[in-house]
Amino acid sequence: MYENFAELFAIIKATEKLEKAYVRDIISPAEYETECQKLIAHFKTLSTTLKDIVPSIERFHETYKMDCPAALNRLVTSGVPATVEHRAAAAMTATTSAAIVAECVQNFITAMDSLKLNMVAVDQVHPLLSDLSASLNKLSILPPDFEGKTKMREWIARLSKMGAADELTEQQARQLHFDLESSYNSFMAALPTSGT
């Protein structure tokens, strides 16, 4: 039993040292990940073996006054190396950004198509431009002064002063379509290419 306790103690202490080495950039991310995965695997195997004798790793940690918060987080809470955790977070951000880009494209196309279909009443155009403006504002890669954002704000302000049943003149509709198209082109140019 004491041999198993010593093993568990050693794994927790080694994980704490490894976490500190990684944070201080003493060890490369690749080396860190390999060693951390080994320690996590050993920990899981040992804690399964000792589950009747050591029902709570936190209590074991307190009883032997270990002071290893980073190790507890890595072994008990997270269960994966920090490098894996951060990759998953980055992938999630990329997926979210891709969804917002798709939403922006959809809103641009919907707004342009509705004008082509002669939907020019304020109560038809305003919601489309509001949706487009909201989706553009969600995308963090666009600067606050991005052409599409400023033009949509201007158009929304202009439409807000009109009545719901009012219709855009042919000239206004053409100008709005032109602004949407140029904003869409700027938007596409602002997106990072797959190589960056």
Side-chain angles (χ1 to χ4, degrees), residues 51-117:
K51 73 173 180 277
D52 296 333
I53 308 164
V54 184
S56 167
I57 298 299
E58 289 86 351
R59 195 171 308 137
F60 178 87
H61 181 266
E62 284 171 30
T63 304
Y64 295 101
K65 297 176 179 33
M66 297 182 72
D67 190 33
C68 297
L72 272 187
N73 176 54
R74 189 62 49 221
L75 297 169
V76 180
T77 310
S78 167
V80 294
T83 48
V84 173
E85 219 170 38
H86 301 311
R87 265 199 306 271
M92 191 64 176
T93 304
T95 306
T96 306
S97 292
I100 297 169
V101 167
E103 186 183 315
C104 290
V105 169
Q106 178 185 344
N107 288 330
F108 266 119
I109 292 169
T110 303
M112 288 188 283
D113 286 352
S114 68
L115 289 173
K116 285 178 186 168
L117 293 171

Side-chain angles (χ1 to χ4, degrees), residues 19-148:
E19 289 294 306
K20 285 182 177 171
Y22 175 65
V23 168
R24 292 180 184 143
D25 212 16
I26 298 169
I27 185 171
S28 76
E31 285 177 299
Y32 162 79
E33 192 171 318
T34 305
E35 293 307 315
C36 193
Q37 282 175 330
K38 276 190 218 170
L39 285 167
I40 290 169
H42 294 316
F43 172 77
K44 284 181 180 173
T45 304
L46 192 58
S47 59
T48 304
T49 307
L50 295 174
K51 73 173 180 277
D52 296 333
I53 308 164
V54 184
S56 167
I57 298 299
E58 289 86 351
R59 195 171 308 137
F60 178 87
H61 181 266
E62 284 171 30
T63 304
Y64 295 101
K65 297 176 179 33
M66 297 182 72
D67 190 33
C68 297
L72 272 187
N73 176 54
R74 189 62 49 221
L75 297 169
V76 180
T77 310
S78 167
V80 294
T83 48
V84 173
E85 219 170 38
H86 301 311
R87 265 199 306 271
M92 191 64 176
T93 304
T95 306
T96 306
S97 292
I100 297 169
V101 167
E103 186 183 315
C104 290
V105 169
Q106 178 185 344
N107 288 330
F108 266 119
I109 292 169
T110 303
M112 288 188 283
D113 286 352
S114 68
L115 289 173
K116 285 178 186 168
L117 293 171
N118 207 29
M119 292 172 63
V120 291
V122 171
D123 62 349
Q124 294 171 319
V125 178
H126 191 282
L128 300 175
L129 297 186
S130 294
D131 289 348
L132 174 56
S133 184
S135 60
L136 287 172
N137 287 325
K138 279 190 228 169
L139 201 58
S140 57
I141 59 169
L142 296 175
D145 61 343
F146 174 69
E147 175 194 352

